[in-house]
Amino acid sequence: MSRQANRGTESKKMSSELFTLTYGALVTQLCKDYENDEDVNKQLDKIVFSHFLPRGYNIGVRLIEDFLARSNVGRCHDFRETADVIAKVAFKMYLGITPSITNWSPAGDEFSLILENNPLVDFVELPDNHSSLIYSNLLCGVLRGALEMVQMAVEAKFVQDTLKGDGVTEIRMRFIRRIEDNLPAGEE
Amino acid sequence: MTVHNLYLFDRNGVCLHYSEWHRKKQAGIPKEEEYKLMYGMLFSIRSFVSKMSPLDMKDGFLAFQTSRYKLHYYETPTGIKVVMNTDLGVGPIRDVLHHIYSAEEGRPAAGPRRCDNHPPRFCAPGLFKHTDYSSCGNLEGGAYADERRVWLGGGRFYAD
């Protein structure tokens, strides 16, 4: 009963340069549309639902289904397993990189993803007037949105960024709580 | 080997898809009621199974059977539920159910726009029609391949 030819396991390749440049165009446009960097950061992470361009969070909410369909990964039993799947399967699948997982908090509810090279920032230099822009903040939104759909509320934020002169890019992930399923209203 | 019918539910219990092939007897209630009943039963049995489990749970509820049919259940971590009723001769078909899920969900860019306020849904008006089931051949003796013809034809949708 093998399903080797499952379309879910095929992965389509695209030019990473095209991807990087497209992302750059998105960030540039946001910088034009919004006055300050804080707003751009928020847009990239995107808490509020937008009706035209789904960004970070909204991408994550959709991407998780694609991810599960392709990867056949089951439910994770703890946050460590989640961290492994994110770094070794998800990042590999969508960005072609495998971040390393470090700096676990003693309670096991926080860890860091270290990206040696971040494909989003090839060819990118931050101009001086955008010093507080978190260029790759979209990734945080994606992670947050995707994990929320598998009943995990997390916080994701950049703590180091090569664009700002740090040696590596570091995303800090914090587990907040597990979201419980509720029976839909009107049923018992 | 026979496939009787197939239900897909989203995480909120909305029936995204239903189709049937060799269903000789109906439940005798409106379809919407039937979906609610089915979802309610699944919800309860899941929580029952996890409460009563004497060991650590792994996959949880997978299937039940009566003397005439067998209900197979597959749930993704995002809460999409795939339910298939078959005859008794069908073994574990978790990967088939996963394939049904992934065939549609594995191509989000190809589907029509989804509404922003909803999580992803199977809105595609052609569920199964675009899907190449030629890779699904061999469900323990080929019943699945026979069903394929029918699958490509059937399909009712409950989109927004």
Side-chain angles (χ1 to χ4, degrees):
Chain A
M1 284 239 306
S2 71
R3 294 279 169 273
Q4 294 308 318
N6 187 337
R7 73 157 70 218
T9 56
E10 293 165 18
S11 64
K12 290 202 183 82
K13 299 263 189 264
M14 69 177 280
S15 154
S16 68
E17 284 165 18
L18 176 65
F19 175 65
T20 307
L21 295 173
T22 310
Y23 184 70
L26 169 72
V27 179
T28 312
Q29 187 61 45
L30 287 174
C31 288
K32 284 183 189 148
D33 291 352
Y34 294 90
E35 307 226 321
N36 62 55
D37 291 351
E38 299 304 323
D39 286 345
V40 177
N41 294 341
K42 216 177 279 173
Q43 281 295 317
L44 284 171
D45 183 77
K46 199 58 185 174
I47 299 161
V48 188
F49 282 105
S50 143
H51 287 287
F52 46 103
L53 247 186
R55 302 180 194 104
Y57 175 87
N58 292 329
I59 291 176
V61 164
R62 289 161 174 70
L63 199 64
I64 184 71
E65 300 286 356
D66 181 65
F67 173 72
L68 293 171
R70 285 170 193 274
S71 66
N72 205 355
V73 168
R75 186 178 287 280
C76 295
H77 299 287
D78 57 29
F79 203 42
R80 281 176 191 272
E81 194 181 339
T82 309
D84 268 356
V85 171
I86 291 171
K88 297 193 180 119
V89 190
F91 267 84
K92 181 94 189 112
M93 184 184 293
Y94 292 112
L95 291 176
I97 54 171
T98 309
S100 47
I101 304 164
T102 54
N103 297 340
W104 275 100
S105 64
D109 64 344
E110 279 189 47
F111 67 93
S112 292
L113 290 165
I114 308 284
L115 287 68
E116 298 286 339
N117 51 10
N118 175 359
L120 291 179
V121 303
D122 290 346
F123 327 119
V124 176
E125 276 177 40
L126 279 190
D128 293 338
N129 57 339
H130 284 296
S131 54
S132 56
L133 178 69
I134 310 171
Y135 185 84
S136 309
N137 212 27
L138 183 107
L139 292 181
C140 294
V142 172
L143 289 164
R144 201 164 53 79
L147 289 176
E148 190 173 308
M149 297 311 285
V150 290
Q151 290 90 46
M152 257 185 233
V154 299
E155 180 189 84
K157 60 174 193 272
F158 277 87
V159 290
Q160 289 192 75
D161 194 339
T162 46
L163 283 183
K164 300 196 170 147
D166 298 315
V168 290
T169 300
E170 175 178 353
I171 302 175
R172 190 74 181 154
M173 303 277 294
R174 187 169 69 86
F175 178 80
I176 301 171
R177 65 190 169 86
R178 180 163 285 281
I179 303 162
E180 296 298 332
D181 277 356
N182 288 321
L183 191 62
E187 293 182 40
E188 46 179 313
Chain B
M1 272 175 250
T2 313
V3 176
H4 296 297
N5 54 2
L6 170 75
Y7 303 81
L8 289 179
F9 293 97
D10 76 1
R11 63 189 315 176
N12 301 313
V14 176
C15 184
L16 303 173
H17 174 84
Y18 173 75
S19 34
E20 63 184 39
W21 298 279
H22 299 288
R23 184 169 178 177
K24 304 252 165 57
K25 177 178 162 297
Q26 296 293 329
I29 50 175
K31 272 281 177 284
E32 290 300 326
E33 288 297 313
E34 182 185 316
Y35 303 148
K36 271 194 189 169
L37 203 57
M38 174 61 84
Y39 189 82
M41 187 278 294
L42 295 172
F43 193 93
S44 310
I45 208 165
R46 274 173 70 234
S47 88
F48 173 83
V49 162
S50 76
K51 273 208 184 77
M52 293 301 167
S53 174
L55 302 167
D56 278 348
M57 287 270 289
K58 269 192 78 187
D59 292 333
F61 172 57
L62 299 173
F64 75 67
Q65 72 176 55
T66 72
S67 60
R68 294 303 302 278
Y69 73 97
K70 186 166 178 183
L71 179 143
H72 304 265
Y73 177 75
Y74 171 67
E75 181 181 342
T76 70
T78 47
I80 303 269
K81 296 167 183 69
V82 186
V83 181
M84 185 183 269
N85 284 315
T86 68
D87 70 7
L88 299 180
V90 178
I93 51 168
R94 184 188 178 281
D95 53 348
V96 173
L97 300 185
H98 177 80
H99 183 83
I100 291 171
Y101 160 72
S102 72
E104 274 312 298
E105 208 45 68
R107 43 178 205 97
R113 276 187 71 80
R114 289 159 169 153
C115 314
D116 259 348
N117 292 322
H118 293 291
R121 307 183 63 164
F122 296 84
C123 288
L127 183 65
F128 301 138
K129 281 190 188 154
H130 307 293
T131 306
D132 176 14
Y133 280 91
S134 55
S135 57
C136 299
N138 237 340
L139 175 66
E140 291 184 354
Y144 198 77
D146 290 333
E147 294 301 333
R148 201 169 74 218
R149 236 174 335 104
V150 195
W151 287 50
L152 293 167
R156 280 189 22 224
F157 290 88
Y158 299 88
D160 297 306

